[in-house]
Structures are given as C-alpha cells and as structure tokens.
C-alpha cells in the first residue's frame, strides 16, 4: 500500500472531533504509534474516533446519495455524485481514514498488546471488523492480510484479498474478539474504561455487538449460500440485545471541533447536499413520526426533497438539525451532538425479521414490530402509535422489512448494502446519468492505483462487488 500506511495519521487528527471533551482526551492527543508513548488506551480511542468519523462522513454521503435518502447539488462536488460520477481522486480521504487511522491502529493493538490486554484487543478487533466491512462493502477486494506489514517485512505493496476472503477475515476477527472477552478479568493488566467512548469498557455490551455484527455479515451472504440466513438468526439469538440501551453509537458534542460530522459538513458546505424526494415523500405520505427528526423544513416550512434527476434545487429540505432558520429547526440527525447508531438493537430485530422471512419461520412480523418500535422510540423519545405501527409492519415480506429498515437505518451504509443485495426498495436511477444505473461500488482510490502495483483496480462504479 502507499507509504501513508507506514506513517499513520496521528490520533490528534481523530481526537479533533471531540476536542471539547478535554478531561478524557488530553492524554490521547499524541501519536499512538510512537514506541515511546504507544499504549492500548491511545490505540483504542483513536480507533473509535476514526470509526465515528467514517460512520458520519464520506462513504456515508456517497451511499446516502446512491440510495436517494439524499441528493447532491450543482453547488458542490456532490452534484456529480448525484449524476453517478465518482472519480478515483474523490475517495482517497475515505480510504486513508479507514486504513491509515483505524485499521492500522487495530493492527498495532493486536501486535503489541494482545497478551496482557485481551479486553482492549477484543474491542479493537470488533472495530477492525466494522471498518474492514466498510472498506469491502464499498470497494470489493481490499488489502488486509499483509496491509500493515511494511515495517516488519519491508514489503510496501500489500496484496489484495478477495471480498470472499475479507468476509472470512471479518468473521474471524469477531470470533477472536469473543474469545478475548471470555478470558478472566485477572488476565488483563488493565481493563478499558474512559478510553472506550462507546461503552466505557462494558464487555457484556461489546459481546452483544460482536454477535449482531456476525449476523449482519452472515445475512450479506444469503445469496451466496442460503444457510447464512439461519446463521444470522442464530447469532441474533446469541447476541441477546433487549433494548436501545444496548446500542453502540457515535459520540459527538455540541462544541466546535467536536460536532457531528453531518452538522460540520452542512455548516461548512451549505447547499451541497439536500434531502432526496423518494425518502421524504415516503415519510410524509405515511405520517411517519420520525419525519421532523430526519428532515428539516424547507424555505416554505414544508418537507421536500430533490428528485433523483434534480441537482439544481437548493430551497428544499436539509437533514433535520441544520436548516431554515436555525432557531426554528427541529433537533435531529444533523444536530451538532446527535448520536448516530453504529450497531443497534433496531438493526438486530430487522436482521431477525428478514432471516425468519427468508426461512419461512413464524415471528417475522413480531420482530419487525420490535425493530420499528425501537427505531421510532430512539429517534422521537416516544413509542409509535398503534395505527402507525400496524400500517408500517403490515407487509412483513423481505420487501416490506427492507423498506422499513431503509427508513430506520438513515445515514448509515446498511440501506445501500441492503439495496444492492435485495433490490429493495425499488429505486429509479437518475435518467440524466450517463450509466442509467445506480452505482454499486466506489472506484479504487488513485493513491492505490498509482502507488500499489498489487492493487485490484476498478474504475467502473457499476461493476458489481462479490
């Protein structure tokens, strides 16, 4: 891989996201890869902060436009994305963040501290699985097995693993994490606490997250092998998530340089991205109580989005939390301190519902009801009304389940993954695009094409991943 893998981005780059939380972050504002200062706390915190940024920035913006939750405008570079034009130079930052900050720190954590810090290492393995999932879902074949070995082997040009191999590696990382969590407390020289911004070192909650992730990635492969539906269901049972209190969320603060990255983007690049008409209209037409938390009011006080072929309108709605005017804007997903779910109880119940529907088992509708209830309650702080819940969960086929998951997983990559593997919801591609096809991947970053002769180079965004 390019030489930046050797010279890892400083943890300060990620820590700038939460610089306002000085009491917890002062000690992390150093380079975790300096042998004289590196320790598990620095590495773990850097991984979490990198994950928060990835989960609320570039790759999520691309996928949000592709799924028509959002639409780019001609004001900025996302107008081209709305026309399905993504160039190799557009994705270097996203790649560098995943590999140069998060996965590299995970490699060092495992390499240097596995023996005496199994709980730290287990959390790092889960974060590595999440980020490796981001990478393979957007780029297909990606480097992993020898991606971080330049210092040890002298080989600066990492070979790429196939996506099939990467899914095996993800499951392997999660299995290793679960094994680490089974080790006795006394086997740890130190256990995570404040360095873990997500659960403050609660290993039981991390165990639940690991099993939901195993289910997520098993469900991805049901088209490859139908038995994966049962595996996904088994993992959800083992996870044992019971409420939104089990959710792994991002952490953002209502302070400059600590903002939710959606708020930071809108604050710095006004009108670059607006809401998508398909998504907004579905919420409006179904009287969805989550509407004002997801969609801000437009200039006329209504909820509107840009059509799939409209990259010019700028008087339509923003993501809720940033809009016209700030004083009247509903608190929502683009508010400075909104916490976005990374792995959630709602997702676990959607996975359970789909797996049961695929297997023809009873209980799919009940799981779907639990999923929608969890989503509405988390977002609005109130349970859905009986009429709304009944209408939203009346269709508990795979198509109906994915439609509701498409709403609930707003501003995450899961709707994009679901769309590519199931074809739901039935989106209409932008007729003004050259391809007339919704992209199914990102192009290989130019840094990789130019500097890594072993890179699997793909430039066509309509070339399917495995």
């Amino acid at each position: 891989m390019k030489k930046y893998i050797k010279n890892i981005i400083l943890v300060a780059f990620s820590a700038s996201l939460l610089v306002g939380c000085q009491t917890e972050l002062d000690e992390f504002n150093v380079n975790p890869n300096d042998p004289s200062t590196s320790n598990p706390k620095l590495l773990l915190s850097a991984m979490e902060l990198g994950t928060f940024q990835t989960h609320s920035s570039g790759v999520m913006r691309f996928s949000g436009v592709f799924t028509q939750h959002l639409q780019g405008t001609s004001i900025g570079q996302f107008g081209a994305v709305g026309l399905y034009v993504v160039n190799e130079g557009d994705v270097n930052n996203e790649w560098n963040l995943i590999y140069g900050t998060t996965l590299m720190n995970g490699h060092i954590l495992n390499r240097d501290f596995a023996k005496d810090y199994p709980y730290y290492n287990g959390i790092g393995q889960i974060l590595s699985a999440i980020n490796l999932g981001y990478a393979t879902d957007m780029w297909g074949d990606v480097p992993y097995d020898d991606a971080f070995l330049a210092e040890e082997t002298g080989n600066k040009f990492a070979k790429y693993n196939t996506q099939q191999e990467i899914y095996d590696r993800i499951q392997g990382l999660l299995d290793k994490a679960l094994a680490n969590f089974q080790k006795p407390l006394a086997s740890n020289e130190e256990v995570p606490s404040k360095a873990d911004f997500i659960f403050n070192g609660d290993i039981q909650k991390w165990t639940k997250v690991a099993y939901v992730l195993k289910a997520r990635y098993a469900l991805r492969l049901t088209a490859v092998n139908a038995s994966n539906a049962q595996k996904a269901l088994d993992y959800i049972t083992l996870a044992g998530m019971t409420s939104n209190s089990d959710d792994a969320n991002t952490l953002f603060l209502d302070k400059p340089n600590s903002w939710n990255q959606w708020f930071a983007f809108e604050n710095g690049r006004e009108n670059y991205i607006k809401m998508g008409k398909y998504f907004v209209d579905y919420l409006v037409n179904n009287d969805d109580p989550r509407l004002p938390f997801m969609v801000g009011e437009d200039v006329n006080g209504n909820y509107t989005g840009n059509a799939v072929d409209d990259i010019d309108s700028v008087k339509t709605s923003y993501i809720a939390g940033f809009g016209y005017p700030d004083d009247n804007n509903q608190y929502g997903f683009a508010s400075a301190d909104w916490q976005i779910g990374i792995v959630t109880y709602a997702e676990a119940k959607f996975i359970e519902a789909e797996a049961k529907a695929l297997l023809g088992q009873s209980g799919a509708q009940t799981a779907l009801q639990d999923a929608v209830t969890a989503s509405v309650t988390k977002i609005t702080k109130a349970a859905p009304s009986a009429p709304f819940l009944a209408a939203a969960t009346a269709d508990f086929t795979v198509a109906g389940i994915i439609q509701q998951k498409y709403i609930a997983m707003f501003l995450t990559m899961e709707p994009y993954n679901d769309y590519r593997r199931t074809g739901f919801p039935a989106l209409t591609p932008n007729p003004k695009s050259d391809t007339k096809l919704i992209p199914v991947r990102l192009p290989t970053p130019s840094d990789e094409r130019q500097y890594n002769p072993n890179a699997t180079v793909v430039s066509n965004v309509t070339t399917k991943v495995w």
Side-chain angles (χ1 to χ4, degrees):
M1 296 178 70
K2 197 188 173 206
K3 59 185 178 181
Y4 65 75
I5 285 296
K6 283 185 62 180
N7 301 313
I8 182 172
I9 299 171
L10 302 185
V11 68
F13 170 75
S14 293
S16 65
L17 293 174
L18 297 177
V19 70
C21 192
Q22 290 300 321
T23 57
E24 296 184 9
L25 287 176
D26 280 341
E27 64 181 296
F28 303 131
N29 201 24
V30 297
N31 183 358
N33 300 313
D34 181 344
S36 66
T37 60
S38 182
N39 64 63
K41 291 192 291 186
L42 296 176
L43 294 164
L44 178 60
S45 295
M47 292 186 75
E48 291 194 357
L49 295 171
T51 301
F52 297 163
Q53 186 168 2
T54 294
H55 193 68
S56 59
S57 54
V59 291
M60 303 304 167
R61 293 182 195 124
F62 288 121
S63 61
V65 172
F66 296 157
T67 56
Q68 299 174 27
H69 289 85
L70 309 169
Q71 176 61 310
T73 75
S74 53
I75 297 294
Q77 72 268 34
F78 279 87
V81 179
L83 292 169
Y84 307 152
V85 177
V86 184
N87 297 315
E88 60 176 6
D90 297 335
V91 297
N92 283 319
N93 288 342
E94 287 72 24
W95 179 278
N96 292 355
L97 178 59
I98 291 172
Y99 275 92
T101 297
T102 314
L103 290 177
M104 183 62 169
N105 282 332
H107 167 72
I108 297 170
L109 180 59
N110 180 73
R111 182 193 67 193
D112 296 347
F113 300 101
K115 179 178 180 294
D116 297 322
Y117 299 86
Y119 291 1
Y120 273 102
N121 196 39
I123 298 172
Q125 287 162 330
I126 292 174
L127 294 168
S128 292
I130 291 170
N131 284 273
L132 192 57
Y134 292 150
T136 195
D137 286 336
M138 295 306 271
W139 285 285
D141 297 353
V142 293
Y144 184 68
D145 284 354
D146 61 349
F148 313 106
L149 302 180
E151 294 285 357
E152 292 97 70
T153 67
N155 178 20
K156 301 178 183 179
F157 308 119
K159 295 180 180 179
Y160 275 45
N161 292 95
T162 66
Q163 188 172 55
Q164 183 175 4
E165 292 172 336
I166 292 296
Y167 274 108
D168 287 340
R169 302 301 185 271
I170 289 171
Q171 292 289 359
L173 281 166
L174 295 169
D175 288 338
K176 291 175 182 177
L178 290 166
N180 273 320
F181 295 155
Q182 290 296 314
K183 294 179 180 179
L185 185 65
S187 67
N188 292 267
E189 184 171 318
E190 181 182 341
V191 295
S193 57
K194 290 184 178 181
D196 173 15
F197 301 122
I198 297 176
F199 290 131
N200 202 35
D202 189 329
I203 299 306
Q204 289 186 335
K205 288 188 181 294
W206 277 113
T207 298
K208 294 179 181 183
V209 166
Y211 277 117
V212 174
L213 285 168
K214 286 182 69 65
R216 174 194 289 180
Y217 295 113
L219 198 64
R220 288 269 209 284
L221 302 183
T222 51
V224 176
N225 188 329
S227 67
N228 281 299
Q230 185 60 55
K231 289 181 180 179
L233 191 57
D234 292 342
Y235 293 142
I236 290 299
T237 301
L238 289 168
M241 278 195 174
T242 58
S243 72
N244 292 334
S245 65
D246 290 327
D247 290 0
N249 299 313
T250 59
L251 174 62
F252 297 111
L253 306 174
D254 189 8
K255 297 180 180 180
N257 299 319
S258 308
W259 288 334
N260 174 357
Q261 294 298 284
W262 287 101
F263 179 85
F265 180 86
E266 297 285 13
N267 190 58
R269 301 184 184 186
E270 188 171 337
N271 288 322
Y272 277 37
I273 289 179
K274 309 297 289 190
M275 295 300 302
K277 178 177 173 58
Y278 174 86
F279 179 66
V280 174
D281 287 355
Y282 190 89
L283 293 172
V284 171
N285 294 336
N286 289 278
D287 295 322
D288 197 302
R290 294 165 290 188
L291 171 66
F293 297 89
M294 294 176 163
V295 185
E297 293 181 353
D298 65 15
V299 293
N300 298 312
N302 300 315
Y303 298 107
T304 56
N306 288 31
V308 67
D309 59 352
D310 178 7
I311 65 170
D312 296 315
S313 298
V314 295
K315 295 183 178 181
T316 47
S317 296
Y318 287 100
I319 303 168
F322 187 91
Y324 313 97
D326 291 344
D327 289 345
N328 295 327
N329 194 54
Q330 173 69 42
Y331 183 72
F333 273 76
S335 296
D337 60 348
W338 188 274
Q339 315 305 334
I340 301 172
I342 302 172
V343 181
T344 64
Y345 171 62
E347 181 186 358
K349 300 307 289 188
F350 279 116
I351 292 171
E352 178 185 342
E354 184 182 350
K356 287 182 174 178
L358 288 169
L359 295 165
Q361 296 182 9
S362 62
Q365 185 176 32
T366 299
L368 178 58
Q369 290 170 342
D370 291 341
V372 173
T373 298
S375 173
V376 172
T377 302
K378 180 176 183 177
I379 293 168
T380 71
K381 309 305 180 188
S385 68
F388 171 78
L389 185 61
T393 60
D395 180 3
F396 49 95
T397 64
V398 170
I401 292 165
I402 296 299
Q403 183 71 51
Q404 290 303 315
K405 191 178 177 187
Y406 172 84
I407 304 299
M409 299 289 105
F410 180 50
L411 299 190
T412 75
M413 200 188 295
E414 288 314 290
Y416 185 48
N417 293 320
D418 292 337
Y419 171 75
R420 288 180 294 171
R421 69 183 176 83
T422 69
F424 301 124
L427 302 173
T428 300
N430 187 342
K432 294 181 181 178
S433 65
D434 289 338
T435 63
K436 307 297 188 295
L437 295 171
I438 294 173
V440 293
R441 66 179 304 126
L442 293 178
T444 304
S446 59
D447 284 349
E448 282 293 288
R449 179 184 61 78
Q450 293 173 340
Y451 296 101
N452 184 1
N454 289 324
T456 301
V457 178
V458 180
S459 58
N460 185 347
V461 295
T462 64
T463 301
K464 292 183 178 180
V465 297
W466 177 78

